[in-house]
Amino acid sequence: MDKLLREHRKSLGGVDVISFGDDAAVERLRDTTCVDVPMQLNWTWNYDSEVEELRSLYEKGKVNQWNAETDLDWDVHCSRDEWVIEPEASMLNNVLVAMGADEETRRAAAFDETNFILSQLLHGEQAALQLCGQLTNICDKMDEKSYAASQVIDEARHVEAFSKFMQRKMGGIHPVGPTLKTLLDLLLEADTARKKTLGMQTLFEGMAVGIMNVMREEARNSLLIDMIRRVELDEARHAAFGVLMMRRVVAEASEEERNELEDWAFTILEALNANHQLDMLRLLGPRYGIDPEGVVEFTVQMPNFGELNSPIYMHTVIPNLRNLGLITDRTREQWIDAGMLYPGTVGAN
Ligand SMILES: [Fe+2]
Ligand SMILES: [Fe+2]
């Protein structure tokens, strides 16, 4: 998988980007639904609580359950004829404004873009569901297994909510982007609980919270807003698990092991960032006469690129990694250079 990401790198506007240009290769990647993962299983005979804060997260999970079918108002209307999000929040809308497109076209493009982002979140939810199932096996303490089991049902609910929203209200689900599929497989194939937890709960769920927070603030549809708000409440518990687990791991790790985790975290998020929305632009751009690579080349060369690109990273992931000691002076400049860490923002220093 590392190789796959290296093979698809190229320079665009002087910036290193990940670009899956071969449609057949993308299809093959999507069709690989059977993934061989090394799994370890650990029994425990200690049924008492050993990690109090994890037991308390499990208890919180039990009382904060909700039902995606009955707690959301599925009668709310949603269609391409309305702005589902604020126009300026849509990259496609902003490009189409510059191209002089009419409002109906721009509204449809913003709708498609929202659908694409929600679809990627949905595929990420499925990965989280599967990864937490793995954690119930691989973790060696009952508090960890119980917590992971509670997250399994949360993720099943998120899969249900997002998939129903797109199928009932948006006309269907977009396929997984190749960069995202590659990275999610990397987490599911990781051979230790620490890498799985760092990858999913800290990196991907931290990113998802950042994206959902922006989307909820910019959404105009009340069902979409309510669904994201409810999912975010669950995700806060998941991010807390990531921090609590990784705090123990980092405290016990040797310098070499800590460096390895720090580098792994950067490798994963840098690859996600290096796609620069090309997977979305490749799929949707041609429908609206938009040149995908032209848009990315323009974007990455903007003088304030880091400032515009960093908010979803600075929302949760970067502060959490910094607090865990997994962004140090050794790697800080790399994060800045990639446009993910923006100096001066809260959590950056
Ligand atoms: Fe989730
Ligand atoms: Fe989650």
Side-chain angles (χ1 to χ4, degrees):
M1 283 298 158
D2 289 335
K3 189 167 153 274
L4 197 57
L5 292 171
R6 275 199 306 278
E7 276 171 3
H8 288 86
R9 280 185 184 265
K10 67 178 200 177
S11 177
L12 207 57
V15 174
D16 197 26
V17 300
I18 288 182
S19 162
F20 284 79
D22 176 354
D23 289 346
V26 171
E27 281 308 315
R28 272 198 305 280
L29 192 61
R30 283 191 191 122
D31 288 345
T32 310
T33 52
C34 182
V35 179
D36 209 4
V37 296
M39 268 303 297
Q40 192 184 61
L41 180 148
N42 288 298
W43 282 88
T44 176
W45 308 121
N46 183 358
Y47 292 97
D48 294 331
S49 179
E50 294 177 82
V51 192
E52 200 185 319
E53 61 264 31
L54 293 187
R55 180 53 60 126
S56 128
L57 266 188
Y58 169 62
E59 292 296 333
K60 273 188 198 150
K62 281 196 285 184
V63 296
N64 289 319
Q65 293 296 305
W66 52 281
N67 185 330
E69 184 58 44
T70 55
D71 288 331
L72 293 172
D73 183 0
W74 290 103
D75 290 336
V76 171
H77 179 77
C78 178
S79 80
R80 303 172 76 80
D81 300 331
E82 62 181 282
W83 284 104
V84 281
I85 54 166
E86 294 293 336
E88 314 77 60
S90 158
M91 180 195 231
L92 294 184
N93 169 69
N94 295 337
V95 174
L96 287 167
V97 166
M99 290 166 63
D102 61 35
E103 184 173 343
E104 192 185 342
T105 306
R106 292 187 287 110
R107 224 170 26 217
F111 185 90
D112 284 345
E113 184 178 335
T114 305
N115 192 354
F116 181 89
I117 296 167
L118 286 171
S119 297
Q120 305 315 303
L121 288 171
L122 166 65
H123 303 309
E125 299 289 359
Q126 185 189 164
L129 168 69
Q130 298 183 130
L131 189 138
C132 290
Q134 295 179 333
L135 289 180
T136 64
N137 284 253
I138 200 169
C139 287
D140 55 12
K141 292 187 170 52
M142 190 46 73
D143 294 320
E144 297 164 346
K145 289 178 187 295
S146 300
Y147 167 77
S150 76
Q151 191 176 334
V152 167
I153 186 62
D154 289 347
E155 304 302 0
R157 181 170 54 249
H158 300 171
V159 167
E160 179 193 350
F162 281 125
S163 63
K164 281 180 172 169
F165 183 82
M166 281 177 281
Q167 280 164 336
R168 292 175 180 176
K169 305 293 177 183
M170 302 199 93
I173 296 163
H174 285 298
V176 68
T179 309
L180 181 64
K181 168 71 163 62
T182 306
L183 291 171
L184 292 175
D185 276 344
L186 206 59
L187 309 193
L188 290 161
E189 288 166 354
D191 57 357
T192 60
R194 60 174 61 181
K195 274 193 176 169
K196 288 183 188 299
T197 304
L198 176 60
M200 182 52 76
Q201 273 91 353
T202 307
L203 303 180
F204 271 84
E205 302 202 277
M207 279 297 293
V209 168
I211 293 167
M212 286 183 207
N213 185 61
V214 169
M215 193 181 254
R216 178 175 44 76
E217 284 178 353
E218 290 168 343
R220 284 189 179 180
N221 181 280
S222 65
L223 171 57
L224 178 59
I225 293 170
D226 194 31
M227 176 178 74
I228 295 176
R229 182 187 63 80
R230 284 177 176 278
V231 171
E232 272 186 289
L233 290 172
D234 293 340
E235 296 299 345
R237 286 196 302 280
H238 308 170
F241 174 75
V243 170
L244 293 173
M245 278 285 280
M246 291 313 297
R247 203 179 275 157
R248 283 164 45 226
V249 166
V250 172
E252 290 164 12
S254 65
E255 190 182 341
E256 192 186 342
E257 289 169 329
R258 199 184 48 69
N259 286 346
E260 194 195 330
L261 290 171
E262 183 175 352
D263 291 337
W264 200 69
F266 180 77
T267 302
I268 301 269
L269 280 197
E270 190 278 334
L272 190 68
N273 182 61
N275 183 245
H276 292 299
Q277 305 223 47
L278 257 176
D279 292 341
M280 183 275 285
L281 289 161
R282 279 244 160 74
L283 188 73
L284 302 178
R287 292 183 196 177
Y288 298 97
I290 291 171
D291 165 28
E293 300 204 345
V295 170
V296 171
E297 202 166 343
F298 176 79
T299 310
V300 296
Q301 286 178 334
M302 285 164 81
N304 58 343
F305 170 69
E307 189 179 355
L308 296 174
N309 186 64
S310 59
I312 52 168
Y313 298 92
M314 297 303 300
H315 183 272
T316 303
V317 182
I318 298 279
N320 282 351
L321 286 172
R322 280 198 55 79
N323 290 338
L324 287 167
L326 293 177
I327 296 180
T328 63
D329 288 346
R330 190 175 65 84
T331 57
R332 191 167 184 272
E333 287 300 316
Q334 293 176 9
W335 292 91
I336 296 172
D337 290 347
M340 293 186 278
L341 195 158
Y342 190 68
T345 314
V346 176
N349 299 302

